[in-house]
Amino acid sequence: MQPFSLSAPVVWLILLVFFAALEGITVSLSSVWFALGALAALLVSLVTGNLWVQLLVFAVVSLLTLLMIRPLATHMFQKKGFTPTNADRILGKTGIVTETIDNLAAKGQVKVSGQVWSARSEGGEPISAGVHVTILRIEGVRVIVRPATEAVPPEPN
């Protein structure tokens, strides 16, 4: 006589509750497909005692729900549009090169709005220290610049 034995439906029910609780805790759509697979396997276990059929149903339903729900969830939870940060305030502003910009040597710095940024030139040409530049965009922690085309008033420190 076995001291402790669980029937297949009870095991699938335990797994269903576990995956559903895990999903409830994380709220990240990381285990909902396993919960649905366990539910399907639970229903199949009520019809047949064949463990391989139950495992196959669990795997297939889990995979299918993953393939169907994940893209939908990714689309629904995806941030729409562009979220500006404080750094975006410098776009279009004029700065001054404080260290000669040389893209090939990966060197160069620009001071704009009181902040010093690593800089690269848009066209790849070197830009000497002291030249006024226009901030075109931010790529990571670097600003991409080009020489300013208009007269620039001195920037306050």
Side-chain angles (χ1 to χ4, degrees), residues 3-54:
F4 185 71
S5 176
L6 293 176
S7 66
V10 172
V11 171
W12 290 117
L13 182 61
I14 291 169
L15 287 172
L16 171 62
V17 170
F18 170 76
F19 288 126
L22 183 63
E23 184 62 40
I25 292 169
T26 61
V27 193
S28 63
L29 290 178
S30 59
S31 61
V32 67
W33 21 87
F34 298 125
L36 293 172
L39 175 62
L42 169 64
L43 295 174
V44 169
S45 73
L46 297 173
V47 176
T48 180
N50 188 329
L51 181 62
W52 291 109
V53 171
Q54 296 170 28

Side-chain angles (χ1 to χ4, degrees), residues 60-109:
V60 169
V61 170
S62 295
L63 181 65
L64 287 176
T65 54
L66 169 67
L67 293 175
M68 289 186 315
I69 295 174
R70 188 68 180 174
L72 178 65
T74 302
H75 178 71
M76 286 175 51
F77 294 123
Q78 183 179 11
K79 290 186 178 180
K80 305 282 191 251
F82 176 73
T83 305
T85 64
N86 290 337
D88 296 327
R89 288 189 227 166
I90 66 169
L91 297 177
K93 293 214 176 195
T94 302
I96 189 160
V97 178
T98 58
E99 176 186 342
T100 298
I101 298 172
D102 183 352
N103 290 8
L104 295 177
K107 293 186 176 191
Q109 290 186 334

